[in-house]
Amino acid sequence: MKFKFFNNRTKWFGCVAVFAISAGGCGNFLEIAPKEAVAAESAIIDETSLNTAIRGAYRALGASSYYGEGFVNLGFVPTGDVIYNVADNLSDLNFRSTDAAFGGPWAAIYHTINITNHIIEKAPAITDVNLTDAEREVIIGEAHFIRALAYFDLARGWGGVPIKLTPTNRPDDGNDIPRSTREQVYERVESELQRAEELLPAAVNRIRATKYTAWALRARLALYRGQWEQAVAYSSKVIALTDAFQLVEPFAAWFLGGVTQTPESIFEIAFSAQNPNGLRTRMSLLARGGEYRYRPGDAVVNTLRNPKTGGDRIALLDSVRQGGLTQYAGALYYRSPATDPSYVLRIAEQYLIRAEAYAQLEQLEEAAMDLNRVRSRAKLDPIVATTQPALLDAILEERRLEFLWEAHRYFDLARTGRLKEQVEALKPNLRIEPHLALFPIPVDEVILGGLEQNPNY
């Protein structure tokens, strides 16, 4: 069975038929096994194909241009804390709408959304006697959560984007949908998460969405929107689930030793030998069989190597000495084969979300308590901050180190208005302009899709 797809657009919705086996891009011509893909209009027709579809949605989250690498490196490369060892525009914050660094993740995220759109529209009409109402509701709830995460990632990166809720089968479908504002997209994310909460079970599943997963993302969403009380409320609901989620000790015990799905994880994306995590190869040292494309900047290496500032987080660094020089790399992804999970939601983040929200509410004692819980796990002395600005600075620095290899730092600096200050401190030869707090809309979306470009691109 053969399917032909267009590949001249970054928007590219036509790959819904291959969601079961490919979460990345499509070539001009792909051979698809009949068992794993059928025509888009009839792809979701029974209990088996619905389960295949939701598995495809999770796999799409792990696409090479999404949480499998592309979107994650947008979160750390532009910050100066992580250096891309190949000269590129992203490292120098010379953002260009023509760069695949932006077009790839945009396309991968909308592809993920399109899969969920098919599930949400078609699941209610399935009449298969093997599909119980309870199973149907959970899968629809999972699709709403995944769609919420995808739109949240679009909004925090590009600002306002088109909100597409109808499944499409052609790359040019939906071209007439204009950009919504960022706040309108966040409102959509909120409604998606509300629906997910209604449908998902109160259970622990670290690689599938549950009610708890929705709570954790609602806490993050509230933080980004400056809804401090709501951020406290939702992070507290997750933190209170101590039988399910814990700050794993010692620090490295949540990722080293081949472990997955520890109590640290609220939601992680699973990979396998057949579907490996691309970040492992890109990040690892040549001596470890990797490509060594990413390395930590000197400033963050020095911070992590100092026991007073790095503590046990030195475990986030791998190193090898060659020719009298020490090369440093990330240690978060290291397995062979590359079955390392991608971490999307962790309990450490919930503590730091609550700490930041408490600090914004001028509940400084409570904020310091949450911050110091995370620091204590890393074997660091408690922070004694008596002013709101000092505490907020300490929390931002804690997030910098805790989430060094995850998709947080650029977005943290952009949302707090600290991008210019922090990046120029590490790269004084650069001048960071305000428009760099948003990514450029991919050029094909502007020229062929008619979208308005972000300012100054």
Side-chain angles (χ1 to χ4, degrees):
M1 183 183 298
K2 295 181 179 179
F3 295 89
K4 188 172 182 180
F5 299 102
F6 298 91
N7 68 346
N8 63 338
R9 291 287 312 279
T10 57
K11 186 169 296 182
W12 169 85
F13 268 31
C15 291
V16 67
V18 300
F19 57 71
I21 64 166
S22 174
C26 292
N28 277 336
F29 214 66
L30 294 178
E31 293 285 349
I32 307 299
K35 277 186 171 183
E36 296 180 300
V38 295
E41 64 272 12
S42 59
I44 303 175
I45 57 174
D46 56 18
E47 186 265 348
T48 298
S49 57
L50 181 59
N51 276 289
T52 298
I54 193 62
R55 287 195 298 271
Y58 283 107
R59 188 158 179 176
L61 287 175
S64 59
S65 289
Y66 200 1
Y67 279 99
E69 183 186 5
F71 183 76
V72 179
N73 75 29
L74 290 180
F76 57 56
V77 171
T79 69
D81 283 326
V82 177
I83 310 300
Y84 192 53
N85 282 331
V86 181
D88 74 321
N89 295 323
L90 197 60
S91 297
D92 294 333
L93 281 85
N94 182 18
F95 293 171
R96 298 183 181 184
S97 64
T98 53
D99 282 352
F102 302 108
W106 174 285
I109 296 172
Y110 269 111
H111 170 57
T112 305
I113 289 168
N114 198 39
I115 297 173
T116 65
N117 288 347
H118 276 269
I119 293 170
I120 291 167
E121 178 178 277
K122 295 175 181 178
I126 295 174
T127 57
D128 188 344
V129 294
N130 295 313
L131 180 67
T132 68
D133 288 342
E135 182 182 14
R136 186 200 317 269
E137 284 193 355
V138 169
I139 291 174
I140 294 172
E142 290 177 280
H144 279 289
F145 170 80
I146 294 170
R147 191 161 73 177
L149 176 61
Y151 273 119
F152 174 78
D153 287 337
L154 284 169
R156 64 173 170 158
W158 287 270
V161 299
I163 298 175
K164 302 184 179 186
L165 305 176
T166 302
T168 60
N169 301 316
R170 294 162 45 87
D172 55 351
D173 284 347
N175 281 357
D176 57 342
I177 300 176
R179 293 180 65 181
S180 297
T181 66
R182 173 182 269 173
E183 186 54 32
Q184 287 170 332
V185 179
Y186 281 157
E187 285 288 346
R188 184 73 232 178
V189 174
E190 183 83 23
S191 67
E192 296 290 330
L193 291 173
Q194 288 173 351
R195 185 62 176 145
E197 277 189 67
E198 294 170 1
L199 296 173
L200 291 172
V204 178
N205 189 329
R206 304 183 201 281
I207 60 172
R208 300 281 292 257
T210 72
K211 197 181 300 291
Y212 306 152
T213 323
W215 291 348
L217 187 54
R218 289 194 76 170
R220 184 191 290 177
L221 174 65
L223 184 78
Y224 273 69
R225 299 177 77 184
Q227 297 174 338
W228 312 124
E229 293 89 351
Q230 191 163 345
V232 168
Y234 275 98
S235 58
S236 294
K237 285 162 76 76
V238 179
I239 290 168
L241 298 168
T242 54
D243 288 341
F245 309 116
Q246 303 162 20
L247 289 169
V248 175
E249 297 189 44
F251 173 78
W254 57 271
F255 66 93
L256 283 187
V259 299
T260 60
Q261 302 181 51
T262 73
E264 176 79 22
S265 278
I266 301 167
F267 180 60
E268 62 187 48
I269 298 171
F271 292 85
S272 66
Q274 294 73 36
N275 177 40
N277 188 337
L279 277 166
R280 189 276 180 202
T281 301
R282 303 291 191 271
M283 188 175 292
S284 296
L285 291 157
L286 296 176
R288 311 276 191 249
E291 297 175 359
Y292 195 39
R293 295 194 183 189
Y294 305 111
R295 67 174 177 85
D298 293 342
V300 80
V301 167
N302 292 335
T303 299
L304 290 173
R305 290 186 64 209
N306 182 341
K308 293 185 178 180
T309 53
D312 280 0
R313 290 202 190 102
I314 187 66
L316 290 171
L317 298 182
D318 188 15
S319 65
V320 65
R321 192 162 181 82
Q322 293 181 335
L325 298 175
T326 301
Q327 293 180 329
Y328 290 95
L332 188 59
Y333 303 97
Y334 58 87
R335 301 165 213 231
S336 182
T339 57
D340 313 79
S342 282
Y343 303 94
V344 180
L345 295 164
R346 292 200 282 120
I347 191 62
E349 184 196 3
Q350 297 299 303
Y351 278 104
L352 293 176
I353 285 173
R354 194 169 71 174
E356 186 173 341
Y358 273 141
Q360 293 286 0
L361 293 169
E362 299 189 2
Q363 296 178 238
L364 303 189
E365 184 177 344
E366 291 86 347
M369 186 177 300
D370 279 339
L371 169 62
N372 287 326
R373 283 176 179 150
V374 177
R375 289 180 61 81
S376 175
R377 191 267 292 270
K379 296 295 186 287
L380 292 168
D381 292 336
I383 288 287
V384 180
T386 58
T387 67
Q388 184 192 56
L391 197 50
L392 288 170
D393 286 347
I395 294 165
L396 188 63
E397 178 68 5
E398 204 69 24
R399 292 179 63 93
R400 173 197 181 203
L401 302 177
E402 179 74 26
F403 308 124
L404 174 62
W405 302 112
E406 298 165 70
H408 287 281
R409 179 63 171 172
Y410 167 84
F411 303 109
D412 282 344
L413 295 180
R415 70 178 173 82
T416 59
R418 307 287 291 275
L419 189 67
K420 178 179 178 65
E421 166 201 321
Q422 295 287 318
V423 174
E424 289 185 0
L426 295 175
K427 296 187 172 186
N429 60 314
L430 297 183
R431 290 296 174 263
I432 307 303
E433 302 298 331
H435 73 277
L436 294 172
L438 286 176
F439 299 143
I441 303 296
V443 64
D444 282 355
E445 302 302 322
V446 176
I447 295 175
L448 300 178
L451 296 185
E452 180 183 358
Q453 182 57 272
N454 279 327
N456 297 315
Y457 284 114

